[in-house]
Amino acid sequence: ILNFVRIESGRLEYRNVAVPVCEALTEVGDMLSGAVAEKGLTLRPPADNPDVVAWADPDRVRQIMVNLVMNAVKYTPQGGGTITLTCEASGDAVVVRVADTGQGIPHDRLESIFEPFVQLTAGLAERRGGVGLGLAISRDLARAMSGDLTAHSTVGVGSQFTLTLPRARQDGEEDRRE
């Protein structure tokens, strides 16, 4: 909740540097491998691609990734589900995807999941932990770093969250962010 208040008040500071995104995503996957194994899920790590480097705050990027992977673990049913992590460079952007084979999100609720304190459960008995701030904070963090966080989902099939961030300049290019 404190993070949310800091973001909303504009008091959160960002330290943008070159962030090797595939490496960071692999580290997050390794860090959460115990939770994945406990639920009997399969985690497919991203292919290592050293050219996928974002211009962002590394702590905030990891915070977003941890939230996305933990949500995938929470909302993918016990035993047999798969969480797939990918990252790629696309023009001036870096694209990170966290996809799961979970319950999916109804189309009419896709935007509301990014609102503070929203969870997709019918009542307290179905709550899976948290207070419904993770995705709201993650989207705000992404947008503060000139990126975005979006979702695509099919009920009964799964969800895919896409984090887009500015790509760090390549050697020989002028830095457009100065």
Side-chain angles (χ1 to χ4, degrees), residues 68 110-111 114 139 143 148-152 160-164:
L68 296 178
L110 270 178
E111 278 307 306
F114 293 105
R139 180 177 261 183
R143 289 179 173 176
D148 204 2
L149 178 61
T150 59
H152 173 76
Q160 176 177 278
F161 287 82
T162 303
L163 170 64
T164 307

Side-chain angles (χ1 to χ4, degrees), residues 1 7 43 48 65 71 76 91 99-100 109 113 145 166 177:
I1 292 176
I7 292 167
L43 180 69
D48 184 29
M65 291 177 182
N71 279 354
T76 301
D100 64 58
R109 302 289 310 272
I113 62 172
M145 294 183 289
R177 292 165 295 277

Side-chain angles (χ1 to χ4, degrees), residues 95-168:
V95 180
V96 177
R97 291 186 181 89
V98 176
D100 64 58
T101 56
Q103 64 192 32
I105 303 163
H107 183 71
D108 64 339
R109 302 289 310 272
L110 270 178
E111 278 307 306
S112 69
I113 62 172
F114 293 105
E115 295 172 14
F117 306 107
V118 170
Q119 290 187 326
L120 294 181
T121 56
L124 289 176
E126 292 183 43
R127 292 181 76 86
R128 299 194 172 145
V131 294
L133 283 175
L135 289 174
I137 289 172
S138 294
R139 180 177 261 183
D140 286 349
L141 290 172
R143 289 179 173 176
M145 294 183 289
S146 300
D148 204 2
L149 178 61
T150 59
H152 173 76
S153 188
T154 303
V155 174
V157 176
S159 301
Q160 176 177 278
F161 287 82
T162 303
L163 170 64
T164 307
L165 294 167
R167 189 174 181 190

Side-chain angles (χ1 to χ4, degrees), residues 53-72:
V53 180
W55 185 255
D57 184 306
D59 295 332
R60 309 296 178 226
V61 171
R62 282 182 183 81
Q63 181 179 352
I64 295 168
M65 291 177 182
V66 165
N67 182 58
L68 296 178
V69 175
M70 277 309 300
N71 279 354

